[in-house]
Structures are given as C-alpha cells and as structure tokens.
Amino acid sequence: MPQEQRSHRFQPSARRLWLRDPLAVHLGAGAKQDRAERGIVIDRDTGTIVELVPAGGEPAGGAGSVAEVVDASAHVITPGLINTHHHFYQTLTRAWAPVADLPLFGWLRTLYPVWARLTPRALELATTVAMAELLESGCTTAADHHYLFPTGLDEAIDIQVDVVRALGMRAMLTRGSMSLGEKDGGLPPQQTVQDAEVILADSRRLVEAYHERGAGAQVQIAFAPCSPFSVTTELMRESADLAAELDVRLHTHLAETIDEEDFCRQRFGLRTVDYLESVGWLGDRAWLAHGVHFDEDEIHRLGAAGAAVAHCPTSNMRLASGIARAVELEDAGVTIGLGVDGSASNDASNLIREVRQALYLQRLRYGADIVTCDRVLDWATTGSAAALGRDDIGAIEVGRQADLAMFRLDGLSFSGSHDPIPALVLCGAEKADRVMVAGRWRVIDGRALGADGSELDKEALIAAHQQEARRLVAG
C-alpha cells in the first residue's frame, strides 16, 4: 500500500468523506490526474485530504471506512481557487458612468473622493458581497488590498476579519496605506492619506492580533503600501523593515501602467523595479500586483529575487493598461498567480471567469500551444498559493488542506463539449456547484453559506449593499 494511504489510516475519531468518481480532477502542478480517478477522501476532523483513490480502487479499508459518500460523477474537481489581488470595498462603485471609460490615473482621481466617504457598515457589506461572490466562483482564499482609512474607519481590517470568519473562507488581509497626498506630489487627495507612524503602529497591531501561521491558517496579515505614486519612499522602506521583523509578506501595485513608470522616472529618477530595489522590496517576501510593463532585464531580476506577480487580466483590459508578460516572467522564475483586482476595474469578483480571461489574453501574446488550459488553472491554484507564501493549499494531494471547488458541466453552454478540463475553461464556467474549505461546505447548490451553515440571505445582503452603494456616489 502506498505510504500516502498508510500514513492517515483509520483514526477512530475521524469523520471521513469520499468524493466518489468525479468526472475529472485537476490536481494541480502537473500531477497525473489518474491518481484520483475514483475520488478524494477527506478527514473533516482535521480538514485535510487523506487519500487519493486511483482508478479501480476504493478508500483504504473499503467503502465502509468512510462516514459519507458524495457522488461527484457530474463534477470537475479543482483545488480551491486562490485570488491574489482584490479591493473588496470597490464592489460599491461598480459600473459607475463617470469612470466607465477612463484609464487608471483619471479613474483613480475621480474615485478617490467617493471612496473617502467609506463607512464601517459600507465596508462590511462590500467585503461580504466580494467574498460571497468569490466563494460562488470556486475561490477559497482571497488576498485583499485595503488602503483606505478615512476618519471613522480605523478598524477596517478588523471588520474584514469578522467577515472572513463568518463566511469560513481563508484570507490574506493586507494592511494597505497611502501617505503621499496631492500637496506633496502624490495622486491621492489629502483626506485619504495617513501619517507613517499611524500606519506602522496599526500594521504591528494587526499582525499581533490576527496573523495565523502554519498549515490551515485562516487569517493572515501582510503589509501593502498602495503604490509608488501614493506612498512615500520612507514608508516603503519602513514597511519592508517591519515585515522582516514580524515575518510577514509585502504587497504593492507595480508597473501597472506607463503613467506609473513615468511617475517613478520623474519623481525618483528610477524605473519601477529599480525603485523597488532601492526601498528593500526586491526579494521573495513580496508579491506585486499587475507587473505589466517590465522590461527584459527587470523580468530576470524579479525571477532571480524570487518575487511573485498577481496577474489581473480583466482589470488590465478594462483600464487598457496592457498585457502582462506572464509567461516570460514565469519562465524566468517569477511565481505567477491570478487576481480579479478591484470590483470597480473588473466589475466582478469571479475567479473562474478570470482563468478564462487569462487564457485568452496571454494567448494573444504567446500563442495557444504555450498558454494551455492546465497552465492557467495552475496560475489560479498552485501559483497563487505560492505567491501568498503557502504550501498547504493550491493543490489536491495528501496532507494538504481540503479546499476544493466542484463545477458542473451541464446546461446549454457545455452541451457538445467533450473533455472536462478544457470545457471548464473554454466553455466559460461561471459558478461552482459546491465549494469546500478545510473539509467544510461553504457553497452548496451554487449558493454561499453563512456562519451557521445555513444559506446566506443574499437578497437582504444585495438590498443593503445597493443602498450603501447609492449613498456613496451621491455624496
């Protein structure tokens, strides 16, 4: 018997669930898919995967050794998708006409005063909507980049922690920051910036209060100065120093647009990666949002440093920012993950949709034979996990967390499709049928569950969220 089957066998307290006979399984990271042709066994006491059942096999000890069997014969199973870059609060400003046709800098200048009116209740609703939508798209872990702390919203990350725990997802919540306002040559209006001392003290508080370490962590904290055009050089350096001291990760926007590149040249006399290195960020602690406009030398320097990039294809298309050189970055050693970005530059929080967008956008640059369905699925799972510094999620293998997404391939859009994994990506899957986090169902029949395991009252959530969205833009 293989060691992976022996090592977790028959603990008396175990409550085992067998996802039996799936239509197909994407294990991740190039693994042979027939290793789990008959399904996956999960120990719900530990929340981990304890066995992959190969073709012709049964769970160790026979079918009677499991407490529950779920017929997965209509499902494609993937690792839970992982979103490496988002702005949850932006669900409140989706599809707003004044910014519908603007590039990044104009888009930001128009939206900053609106976002400055964010309240604790608005953030709670926005975060809930974003995370529930992500869950229903098959996402089990999300990184949020929150950098707005107007008066009265000092505990923004605390609010988000509560939502994460209520929905049962995992999250990397980044304590973002803006400290370089318009009067000092930055982009944000002065009412949206904070003093560095306040930012750093709150960053330390959040790590001490909430950051979980090791396998199975639900809530983690990272530091995320917003961008070179909204944060001082000193704060960038101090954030890197504090992250090293507390052993947490770093995140920022970088090289998203040519305007950002021009800003760095004019203000610092440096290209974006030179600037990153000058403030102590060029290393394997950092993952960078977008990374569209790196040149050849920068790509190799990022790879040598072990950095990661969150590729956000829909947002990059929506704002006409460009096409990230994702394949060249990955080939140079940069870890590639996927992100939906903010719901005001994507207008959705749907990660399985982002997989398809990544496939098609990257094929424009590199061709169909290079950018495969498996490759983009790996970006959304194994790659995204690595970008967040995690090796316990992002793949289906024994010992990993039981974070899984199950997709049905029925309905008109899949009729006539032949091969399940390509169909999942090419035919445009929109929602997962079931989603599991740490062995617990968080989505059943396509609907997210609330804290008590009952169905989330989405109608009430949408009504309250819509009301806050209208208030925000009305001023």
mmCIF file of all heavy atoms in Angstrom, residues 194-238:
data_model
loop_
_atom_site.group_PDB
_atom_site.id
_atom_site.type_symbol
_atom_site.label_atom_id
_atom_site.label_comp_id
_atom_site.label_asym_id
_atom_site.label_seq_id
_atom_site.Cartn_x
_atom_site.Cartn_y
_atom_site.Cartn_z
ATOM 1 N N GLN A 194 -2.603 58.941 5.464
ATOM 2 C CA GLN A 194 -2.336 58.833 6.902
ATOM 3 C C GLN A 194 -0.861 59.082 7.179
ATOM 4 O O GLN A 194 0.000 58.940 6.294
ATOM 5 C CB GLN A 194 -2.683 57.428 7.402
ATOM 6 C CG GLN A 194 -4.150 57.074 7.398
ATOM 7 C CD GLN A 194 -4.365 55.659 7.938
ATOM 8 O OE1 GLN A 194 -3.912 54.684 7.356
ATOM 9 N NE2 GLN A 194 -5.065 55.549 9.064
ATOM 10 N N ASP A 195 -0.563 59.408 8.419
ATOM 11 C CA ASP A 195 0.838 59.550 8.832
ATOM 12 C C ASP A 195 1.491 58.182 8.935
ATOM 13 O O ASP A 195 0.852 57.193 9.323
ATOM 14 C CB ASP A 195 0.928 60.244 10.194
ATOM 15 C CG ASP A 195 0.502 61.706 10.124
ATOM 16 O OD1 ASP A 195 0.579 62.300 9.038
ATOM 17 O OD2 ASP A 195 0.075 62.239 11.173
ATOM 18 N N ALA A 196 2.777 58.132 8.633
ATOM 19 C CA ALA A 196 3.507 56.865 8.648
ATOM 20 C C ALA A 196 3.469 56.209 10.021
ATOM 21 O O ALA A 196 3.359 54.983 10.131
ATOM 22 C CB ALA A 196 4.949 57.089 8.200
ATOM 23 N N GLU A 197 3.548 57.011 11.083
ATOM 24 C CA GLU A 197 3.577 56.442 12.428
ATOM 25 C C GLU A 197 2.266 55.696 12.731
ATOM 26 O O GLU A 197 2.272 54.624 13.341
ATOM 27 C CB GLU A 197 3.793 57.550 13.471
ATOM 28 C CG GLU A 197 5.142 58.222 13.396
ATOM 29 C CD GLU A 197 5.232 59.255 12.272
ATOM 30 O OE1 GLU A 197 4.192 59.589 11.649
ATOM 31 O OE2 GLU A 197 6.358 59.719 11.996
ATOM 32 N N VAL A 198 1.163 56.271 12.298
ATOM 33 C CA VAL A 198 -0.139 55.633 12.497
ATOM 34 C C VAL A 198 -0.216 54.328 11.713
ATOM 35 O O VAL A 198 -0.673 53.293 12.218
ATOM 36 C CB VAL A 198 -1.271 56.593 12.063
ATOM 37 C CG1 VAL A 198 -2.622 55.880 12.076
ATOM 38 C CG2 VAL A 198 -1.298 57.821 12.961
ATOM 39 N N ILE A 199 0.243 54.363 10.473
ATOM 40 C CA ILE A 199 0.203 53.187 9.598
ATOM 41 C C ILE A 199 1.033 52.047 10.189
ATOM 42 O O ILE A 199 0.567 50.898 10.272
ATOM 43 C CB ILE A 199 0.717 53.557 8.197
ATOM 44 C CG1 ILE A 199 -0.267 54.520 7.512
ATOM 45 C CG2 ILE A 199 0.959 52.313 7.351
ATOM 46 C CD1 ILE A 199 0.309 55.234 6.308
ATOM 47 N N LEU A 200 2.249 52.344 10.605
ATOM 48 C CA LEU A 200 3.143 51.302 11.103
ATOM 49 C C LEU A 200 2.658 50.738 12.436
ATOM 50 O O LEU A 200 2.746 49.519 12.674
ATOM 51 C CB LEU A 200 4.566 51.851 11.227
ATOM 52 C CG LEU A 200 5.220 52.212 9.888
ATOM 53 C CD1 LEU A 200 6.490 53.019 10.123
ATOM 54 C CD2 LEU A 200 5.529 50.961 9.074
ATOM 55 N N ALA A 201 2.125 51.595 13.299
ATOM 56 C CA ALA A 201 1.614 51.102 14.581
ATOM 57 C C ALA A 201 0.417 50.180 14.369
ATOM 58 O O ALA A 201 0.303 49.130 15.026
ATOM 59 C CB ALA A 201 1.229 52.286 15.465
ATOM 60 N N ASP A 202 -0.475 50.564 13.452
ATOM 61 C CA ASP A 202 -1.629 49.715 13.197
ATOM 62 C C ASP A 202 -1.216 48.419 12.512
ATOM 63 O O ASP A 202 -1.795 47.353 12.783
ATOM 64 C CB ASP A 202 -2.646 50.462 12.333
ATOM 65 C CG ASP A 202 -4.003 49.778 12.313
ATOM 66 O OD1 ASP A 202 -4.489 49.394 13.398
ATOM 67 O OD2 ASP A 202 -4.570 49.609 11.221
ATOM 68 N N SER A 203 -0.215 48.479 11.664
ATOM 69 C CA SER A 203 0.277 47.276 10.998
ATOM 70 C C SER A 203 0.782 46.268 12.026
ATOM 71 O O SER A 203 0.463 45.075 11.959
ATOM 72 C CB SER A 203 1.395 47.642 10.012
ATOM 73 O OG SER A 203 0.910 48.503 8.999
ATOM 74 N N ARG A 204 1.557 46.738 12.966
ATOM 75 C CA ARG A 204 2.067 45.856 14.022
ATOM 76 C C ARG A 204 0.909 45.296 14.851
ATOM 77 O O ARG A 204 0.884 44.097 15.173
ATOM 78 C CB ARG A 204 3.041 46.624 14.915
ATOM 79 C CG ARG A 204 3.657 45.771 16.023
ATOM 80 C CD ARG A 204 4.548 46.589 16.925
ATOM 81 N NE ARG A 204 5.752 47.041 16.264
ATOM 82 C CZ ARG A 204 6.865 46.320 16.142
ATOM 83 N NH1 ARG A 204 6.920 45.095 16.657
ATOM 84 N NH2 ARG A 204 7.926 46.812 15.528
ATOM 85 N N ARG A 205 -0.046 46.148 15.199
ATOM 86 C CA ARG A 205 -1.201 45.691 15.996
ATOM 87 C C ARG A 205 -1.942 44.565 15.300
ATOM 88 O O ARG A 205 -2.308 43.556 15.932
ATOM 89 C CB ARG A 205 -2.151 46.871 16.231
ATOM 90 C CG ARG A 205 -3.442 46.470 16.958
ATOM 91 C CD ARG A 205 -4.447 47.607 17.003
ATOM 92 N NE ARG A 205 -5.075 47.887 15.718
ATOM 93 C CZ ARG A 205 -6.113 47.235 15.231
ATOM 94 N NH1 ARG A 205 -6.674 46.227 15.913
ATOM 95 N NH2 ARG A 205 -6.629 47.572 14.060
ATOM 96 N N LEU A 206 -2.156 44.708 14.004
ATOM 97 C CA LEU A 206 -2.943 43.713 13.267
ATOM 98 C C LEU A 206 -2.231 42.367 13.198
ATOM 99 O O LEU A 206 -2.862 41.310 13.318
ATOM 100 C CB LEU A 206 -3.245 44.233 11.870
ATOM 101 C CG LEU A 206 -4.252 45.389 11.831
ATOM 102 C CD1 LEU A 206 -4.244 46.063 10.465
ATOM 103 C CD2 LEU A 206 -5.651 44.911 12.183
ATOM 104 N N VAL A 207 -0.925 42.390 13.008
ATOM 105 C CA VAL A 207 -0.171 41.131 12.993
ATOM 106 C C VAL A 207 -0.273 40.450 14.345
ATOM 107 O O VAL A 207 -0.537 39.239 14.445
ATOM 108 C CB VAL A 207 1.296 41.365 12.604
ATOM 109 C CG1 VAL A 207 2.110 40.082 12.784
ATOM 110 C CG2 VAL A 207 1.387 41.844 11.159
ATOM 111 N N GLU A 208 -0.082 41.223 15.399
ATOM 112 C CA GLU A 208 -0.123 40.642 16.745
ATOM 113 C C GLU A 208 -1.515 40.132 17.097
ATOM 114 O O GLU A 208 -1.667 39.137 17.818
ATOM 115 C CB GLU A 208 0.352 41.689 17.757
ATOM 116 C CG GLU A 208 1.836 42.023 17.609
ATOM 117 C CD GLU A 208 2.275 43.191 18.488
ATOM 118 O OE1 GLU A 208 1.379 43.871 19.061
ATOM 119 O OE2 GLU A 208 3.492 43.432 18.573
ATOM 120 N N ALA A 209 -2.549 40.775 16.563
ATOM 121 C CA ALA A 209 -3.919 40.395 16.907
ATOM 122 C C ALA A 209 -4.459 39.234 16.084
ATOM 123 O O ALA A 209 -5.208 38.398 16.594
ATOM 124 C CB ALA A 209 -4.848 41.603 16.754
ATOM 125 N N TYR A 210 -4.062 39.159 14.795
ATOM 126 C CA TYR A 210 -4.786 38.267 13.891
ATOM 127 C C TYR A 210 -3.942 37.300 13.064
ATOM 128 O O TYR A 210 -4.493 36.305 12.571
ATOM 129 C CB TYR A 210 -5.620 39.098 12.908
ATOM 130 C CG TYR A 210 -6.663 39.959 13.547
ATOM 131 C CD1 TYR A 210 -6.624 41.349 13.415
ATOM 132 C CD2 TYR A 210 -7.706 39.408 14.300
ATOM 133 C CE1 TYR A 210 -7.591 42.159 13.989
ATOM 134 C CE2 TYR A 210 -8.671 40.215 14.894
ATOM 135 C CZ TYR A 210 -8.605 41.590 14.726
ATOM 136 O OH TYR A 210 -9.558 42.381 15.309
ATOM 137 N N HIS A 211 -2.681 37.562 12.867
ATOM 138 C CA HIS A 211 -1.915 36.770 11.899
ATOM 139 C C HIS A 211 -1.710 35.344 12.396
ATOM 140 O O HIS A 211 -1.160 35.112 13.472
ATOM 141 C CB HIS A 211 -0.550 37.418 11.632
ATOM 142 C CG HIS A 211 0.230 36.720 10.571
ATOM 143 N ND1 HIS A 211 -0.144 36.712 9.244
ATOM 144 C CD2 HIS A 211 1.376 35.992 10.623
ATOM 145 C CE1 HIS A 211 0.732 36.033 8.533
ATOM 146 N NE2 HIS A 211 1.656 35.584 9.349
ATOM 147 N N GLU A 212 -2.178 34.382 11.600
ATOM 148 C CA GLU A 212 -2.024 32.967 11.923
ATOM 149 C C GLU A 212 -0.899 32.387 11.070
ATOM 150 O O GLU A 212 -0.742 32.744 9.908
ATOM 151 C CB GLU A 212 -3.335 32.225 11.647
ATOM 152 C CG GLU A 212 -4.503 32.747 12.464
ATOM 153 C CD GLU A 212 -5.827 32.139 12.044
ATOM 154 O OE1 GLU A 212 -5.822 31.107 11.341
ATOM 155 O OE2 GLU A 212 -6.874 32.707 12.398
ATOM 156 N N ARG A 213 -0.169 31.463 11.647
ATOM 157 C CA ARG A 213 0.968 30.867 10.952
ATOM 158 C C ARG A 213 0.761 29.359 10.817
ATOM 159 O O ARG A 213 0.020 28.744 11.570
ATOM 160 C CB ARG A 213 2.275 31.159 11.686
ATOM 161 C CG ARG A 213 2.549 32.649 11.863
ATOM 162 C CD ARG A 213 3.873 32.930 12.561
ATOM 163 N NE ARG A 213 4.001 34.353 12.855
ATOM 164 C CZ ARG A 213 4.467 35.263 12.007
ATOM 165 N NH1 ARG A 213 4.850 34.883 10.792
ATOM 166 N NH2 ARG A 213 4.547 36.532 12.343
ATOM 167 N N GLY A 214 1.420 28.785 9.824
ATOM 168 C CA GLY A 214 1.401 27.345 9.669
ATOM 169 C C GLY A 214 0.236 26.850 8.846
ATOM 170 O O GLY A 214 -0.642 27.599 8.408
ATOM 171 N N ALA A 215 0.223 25.527 8.645
ATOM 172 C CA ALA A 215 -0.801 24.893 7.815
ATOM 173 C C ALA A 215 -2.186 25.144 8.390
ATOM 174 O O ALA A 215 -2.394 25.076 9.602
ATOM 175 C CB ALA A 215 -0.536 23.399 7.718
ATOM 176 N N GLY A 216 -3.125 25.435 7.509
ATOM 177 C CA GLY A 216 -4.503 25.628 7.912
ATOM 178 C C GLY A 216 -4.848 27.023 8.373
ATOM 179 O O GLY A 216 -5.994 27.266 8.778
ATOM 180 N N ALA A 217 -3.913 27.962 8.305
ATOM 181 C CA ALA A 217 -4.203 29.329 8.732
ATOM 182 C C ALA A 217 -5.406 29.876 7.971
ATOM 183 O O ALA A 217 -5.514 29.714 6.754
ATOM 184 C CB ALA A 217 -2.982 30.220 8.508
ATOM 185 N N GLN A 218 -6.295 30.526 8.709
ATOM 186 C CA GLN A 218 -7.476 31.115 8.060
ATOM 187 C C GLN A 218 -7.255 32.588 7.756
ATOM 188 O O GLN A 218 -7.585 33.058 6.670
ATOM 189 C CB GLN A 218 -8.716 30.958 8.936
ATOM 190 C CG GLN A 218 -9.975 31.526 8.272
ATOM 191 C CD GLN A 218 -11.219 31.376 9.109
ATOM 192 O OE1 GLN A 218 -11.155 31.235 10.323
ATOM 193 N NE2 GLN A 218 -12.377 31.413 8.459
ATOM 194 N N VAL A 219 -6.717 33.326 8.709
ATOM 195 C CA VAL A 219 -6.494 34.762 8.531
ATOM 196 C C VAL A 219 -5.000 35.049 8.620
ATOM 197 O O VAL A 219 -4.346 34.651 9.589
ATOM 198 C CB VAL A 219 -7.244 35.575 9.607
ATOM 199 C CG1 VAL A 219 -6.900 37.061 9.486
ATOM 200 C CG2 VAL A 219 -8.740 35.359 9.496
ATOM 201 N N GLN A 220 -4.492 35.722 7.606
ATOM 202 C CA GLN A 220 -3.112 36.189 7.635
ATOM 203 C C GLN A 220 -3.082 37.669 7.281
ATOM 204 O O GLN A 220 -3.974 38.185 6.606
ATOM 205 C CB GLN A 220 -2.229 35.377 6.681
ATOM 206 C CG GLN A 220 -2.104 33.910 7.113
ATOM 207 C CD GLN A 220 -1.049 33.156 6.344
ATOM 208 O OE1 GLN A 220 -0.993 33.208 5.125
ATOM 209 N NE2 GLN A 220 -0.201 32.430 7.062
ATOM 210 N N ILE A 221 -2.050 38.339 7.744
ATOM 211 C CA ILE A 221 -1.885 39.774 7.537
ATOM 212 C C ILE A 221 -0.601 40.019 6.752
ATOM 213 O O ILE A 221 0.415 39.371 6.998
ATOM 214 C CB ILE A 221 -1.818 40.532 8.876
ATOM 215 C CG1 ILE A 221 -3.064 40.245 9.739
ATOM 216 C CG2 ILE A 221 -1.630 42.030 8.649
ATOM 217 C CD1 ILE A 221 -4.356 40.770 9.176
ATOM 218 N N ALA A 222 -0.652 40.948 5.815
ATOM 219 C CA ALA A 222 0.542 41.406 5.109
ATOM 220 C C ALA A 222 0.512 42.929 5.073
ATOM 221 O O ALA A 222 -0.517 43.552 5.359
ATOM 222 C CB ALA A 222 0.599 40.827 3.697
ATOM 223 N N PHE A 223 1.640 43.539 4.715
ATOM 224 C CA PHE A 223 1.726 44.990 4.623
ATOM 225 C C PHE A 223 1.710 45.391 3.156
ATOM 226 O O PHE A 223 2.420 44.792 2.339
ATOM 227 C CB PHE A 223 2.986 45.510 5.296
ATOM 228 C CG PHE A 223 3.097 45.131 6.755
ATOM 229 C CD1 PHE A 223 4.333 45.017 7.368
ATOM 230 C CD2 PHE A 223 1.958 44.899 7.531
ATOM 231 C CE1 PHE A 223 4.443 44.665 8.705
ATOM 232 C CE2 PHE A 223 2.050 44.548 8.867
ATOM 233 C CZ PHE A 223 3.304 44.436 9.455
ATOM 234 N N ALA A 224 0.929 46.437 2.840
ATOM 235 C CA ALA A 224 0.708 46.734 1.424
ATOM 236 C C ALA A 224 0.608 48.234 1.144
ATOM 237 O O ALA A 224 -0.470 48.748 0.816
ATOM 238 C CB ALA A 224 -0.542 46.030 0.932
ATOM 239 N N PRO A 225 1.723 48.977 1.270
ATOM 240 C CA PRO A 225 1.708 50.350 0.768
ATOM 241 C C PRO A 225 1.158 50.356 -0.655
ATOM 242 O O PRO A 225 1.525 49.511 -1.471
ATOM 243 C CB PRO A 225 3.180 50.744 0.807
ATOM 244 C CG PRO A 225 3.772 49.887 1.893
ATOM 245 C CD PRO A 225 3.036 48.581 1.783
ATOM 246 N N CYS A 226 0.274 51.302 -0.959
ATOM 247 C CA CYS A 226 -0.562 51.165 -2.146
ATOM 248 C C CYS A 226 0.225 51.150 -3.448
ATOM 249 O O CYS A 226 0.037 50.250 -4.278
ATOM 250 C CB CYS A 226 -1.594 52.291 -2.173
ATOM 251 S SG CYS A 226 -2.755 52.154 -3.545
ATOM 252 N N SER A 227 1.107 52.128 -3.651
ATOM 253 C CA SER A 227 1.778 52.249 -4.946
ATOM 254 C C SER A 227 2.865 53.310 -4.846
ATOM 255 O O SER A 227 2.849 54.140 -3.926
ATOM 256 C CB SER A 227 0.764 52.649 -6.032
ATOM 257 O OG SER A 227 0.233 53.924 -5.722
ATOM 258 N N PRO A 228 3.793 53.347 -5.804
ATOM 259 C CA PRO A 228 4.830 54.397 -5.763
ATOM 260 C C PRO A 228 4.268 55.809 -5.830
ATOM 261 O O PRO A 228 4.909 56.744 -5.340
ATOM 262 C CB PRO A 228 5.677 54.083 -7.001
ATOM 263 C CG PRO A 228 5.478 52.634 -7.253
ATOM 264 C CD PRO A 228 4.054 52.367 -6.856
ATOM 265 N N PHE A 229 3.080 55.983 -6.418
ATOM 266 C CA PHE A 229 2.533 57.330 -6.560
ATOM 267 C C PHE A 229 1.611 57.732 -5.417
ATOM 268 O O PHE A 229 0.975 58.782 -5.471
ATOM 269 C CB PHE A 229 1.815 57.496 -7.907
ATOM 270 C CG PHE A 229 0.784 56.447 -8.225
ATOM 271 C CD1 PHE A 229 -0.487 56.507 -7.683
ATOM 272 C CD2 PHE A 229 1.089 55.391 -9.067
ATOM 273 C CE1 PHE A 229 -1.431 55.539 -7.963
ATOM 274 C CE2 PHE A 229 0.148 54.411 -9.375
ATOM 275 C CZ PHE A 229 -1.121 54.488 -8.816
ATOM 276 N N SER A 230 1.523 56.902 -4.365
ATOM 277 C CA SER A 230 0.651 57.258 -3.244
ATOM 278 C C SER A 230 1.304 57.021 -1.879
ATOM 279 O O SER A 230 0.656 57.224 -0.848
ATOM 280 C CB SER A 230 -0.659 56.465 -3.321
ATOM 281 O OG SER A 230 -0.412 55.073 -3.293
ATOM 282 N N VAL A 231 2.572 56.617 -1.858
ATOM 283 C CA VAL A 231 3.260 56.300 -0.607
ATOM 284 C C VAL A 231 4.675 56.889 -0.658
ATOM 285 O O VAL A 231 5.344 56.835 -1.694
ATOM 286 C CB VAL A 231 3.335 54.767 -0.393
ATOM 287 C CG1 VAL A 231 4.108 54.426 0.863
ATOM 288 C CG2 VAL A 231 1.936 54.168 -0.316
ATOM 289 N N THR A 232 5.137 57.417 0.452
ATOM 290 C CA THR A 232 6.492 57.971 0.488
ATOM 291 C C THR A 232 7.548 56.867 0.444
ATOM 292 O O THR A 232 7.293 55.719 0.842
ATOM 293 C CB THR A 232 6.718 58.797 1.765
ATOM 294 O OG1 THR A 232 6.608 57.925 2.903
ATOM 295 C CG2 THR A 232 5.711 59.924 1.882
ATOM 296 N N THR A 233 8.718 57.247 -0.018
ATOM 297 C CA THR A 233 9.848 56.313 -0.031
ATOM 298 C C THR A 233 10.155 55.810 1.376
ATOM 299 O O THR A 233 10.454 54.626 1.577
ATOM 300 C CB THR A 233 11.083 57.007 -0.634
ATOM 301 O OG1 THR A 233 10.785 57.384 -1.975
ATOM 302 C CG2 THR A 233 12.302 56.103 -0.623
ATOM 303 N N GLU A 234 10.067 56.704 2.353
ATOM 304 C CA GLU A 234 10.374 56.315 3.727
ATOM 305 C C GLU A 234 9.413 55.238 4.229
ATOM 306 O O GLU A 234 9.828 54.276 4.887
ATOM 307 C CB GLU A 234 10.310 57.549 4.642
ATOM 308 C CG GLU A 234 11.393 58.593 4.402
ATOM 309 C CD GLU A 234 11.158 59.412 3.119
ATOM 310 O OE1 GLU A 234 9.995 59.468 2.646
ATOM 311 O OE2 GLU A 234 12.143 59.979 2.594
ATOM 312 N N LEU A 235 8.141 55.397 3.912
ATOM 313 C CA LEU A 235 7.175 54.391 4.372
ATOM 314 C C LEU A 235 7.401 53.055 3.671
ATOM 315 O O LEU A 235 7.240 51.991 4.288
ATOM 316 C CB LEU A 235 5.746 54.868 4.138
ATOM 317 C CG LEU A 235 4.662 53.902 4.629
ATOM 318 C CD1 LEU A 235 4.781 53.633 6.128
ATOM 319 C CD2 LEU A 235 3.264 54.424 4.299
ATOM 320 N N MET A 236 7.771 53.075 2.409
ATOM 321 C CA MET A 236 8.091 51.826 1.717
ATOM 322 C C MET A 236 9.222 51.098 2.442
ATOM 323 O O MET A 236 9.134 49.883 2.701
ATOM 324 C CB MET A 236 8.468 52.091 0.267
ATOM 325 C CG MET A 236 7.329 52.508 -0.632
ATOM 326 S SD MET A 236 6.133 51.186 -0.990
ATOM 327 C CE MET A 236 7.061 50.169 -2.146
ATOM 328 N N ARG A 237 10.276 51.819 2.785
ATOM 329 C CA ARG A 237 11.420 51.199 3.483
ATOM 330 C C ARG A 237 11.018 50.700 4.868
ATOM 331 O O ARG A 237 11.378 49.593 5.276
ATOM 332 C CB ARG A 237 12.563 52.207 3.604
ATOM 333 C CG ARG A 237 13.250 52.551 2.296
ATOM 334 C CD ARG A 237 14.606 53.192 2.562
ATOM 335 N NE ARG A 237 15.252 53.595 1.320
ATOM 336 C CZ ARG A 237 15.277 54.831 0.836
ATOM 337 N NH1 ARG A 237 14.715 55.817 1.527
ATOM 338 N NH2 ARG A 237 15.888 55.102 -0.301
ATOM 339 N N GLU A 238 10.289 51.530 5.602
ATOM 340 C CA GLU A 238 9.898 51.154 6.962
ATOM 341 C C GLU A 238 8.936 49.962 6.958
ATOM 342 O O GLU A 238 8.992 49.105 7.854
ATOM 343 C CB GLU A 238 9.272 52.360 7.665
ATOM 344 C CG GLU A 238 10.290 53.447 7.976
ATOM 345 C CD GLU A 238 9.645 54.755 8.396
ATOM 346 O OE1 GLU A 238 8.452 54.959 8.077
ATOM 347 O OE2 GLU A 238 10.332 55.569 9.032
#
